[in-house]
Amino acid sequence: MEKKDHPGVYIPPPLIYVAFFFLAVALQRVVPLKGLFGETAMTITAGWILLAAGILVLLSAVWRFLVSKNTLVPVKPAHSLQTGGIYAFTRNPMYLGMLLLYSGIGFLKGNWWTFIVIPLLIMAVQLYVIKKEEHYLQRTFGNDYLQYKKKVRRWI
């Protein structure tokens, strides 16, 4: 039986975002950062705007996958290279959308740790998920992917 190639991402990316969110919650309990971040109209508004933006970005990315009958599961092979719609602006709209949701919830919860760990979250997503997916897409789609990569940035 022939083994199908795939990116080799075995931890679902949304779980990475959830794990970092719970890390921020735990850090807030152990080392509370009070008084730096209050529930002001500005932070609540920013939270809702980021949540809405994240949902829009995620829905447009998922829609592209559904229309092309491609898989959202990172341990399954891709059937086509996504380059249209939201993918014309960012190569990773799902991860960008999840980052926007994560940040929006951070504002709504008033937890500075949510933002302090963002660089670690981005590094984890880039090193564990995005790099593997990029290598897989290059193996699978060759020059088409390289041309797309030259035109469209990884995040924004």
Side-chain angles (χ1 to χ4, degrees):
M1 187 166 140
E2 183 180 319
K3 185 178 177 186
K4 291 189 177 185
D5 192 17
H6 59 79
V9 176
Y10 296 100
I11 298 171
L15 287 182
I16 297 170
Y17 286 84
V18 169
F20 272 87
F21 183 78
F22 283 118
L23 171 64
V25 168
L27 286 168
Q28 178 63 19
R29 287 191 178 156
V30 175
V31 184
L33 297 177
K34 301 260 185 222
L36 299 175
F37 197 134
E39 285 187 12
T40 65
M42 190 169 79
T43 60
I44 299 298
T45 302
W48 284 111
I49 289 170
L50 288 169
L51 277 175
I55 289 168
L56 286 172
V57 169
L58 276 170
L59 287 177
S60 61
V62 169
W63 176 253
R64 295 297 305 173
F65 268 71
L66 294 174
V67 166
S68 67
K69 295 180 174 58
N70 223 337
T71 182
L72 292 167
V73 182
V75 292
K76 291 189 175 183
H79 303 299
S80 63
L81 181 62
Q82 302 300 315
T83 60
I86 189 81
Y87 286 88
F89 303 100
T90 171
R91 294 195 317 259
N92 295 286
M94 288 187 211
Y95 307 136
L96 176 60
M98 284 187 272
L99 185 62
L100 291 169
L101 287 174
Y102 172 93
S103 300
I105 293 168
F107 273 113
L108 293 174
K109 291 293 181 186
N111 183 349
W112 268 111
W113 284 107
T114 306
F115 302 98
I116 293 169
V117 301
I118 279 180
L120 297 174
L121 169 59
I122 291 171
M123 280 186 356
V125 170
Q126 284 208 171
L127 294 174
Y128 178 71
V129 181
I130 294 174
K131 287 288 189 181
K132 288 182 176 188
E133 288 180 346
E134 287 178 342
H135 291 299
Y136 166 72
L137 292 170
Q138 189 168 340
R139 282 192 313 271
T140 305
F141 299 107
N143 195 49
D144 288 342
Y145 178 68
L146 291 175
Q147 293 304 312
Y148 170 64
K149 196 173 164 181
K150 284 181 186 175
K151 289 190 288 187
V152 179
R153 295 175 61 120
R154 182 179 281 154
W155 287 89
I156 50 174

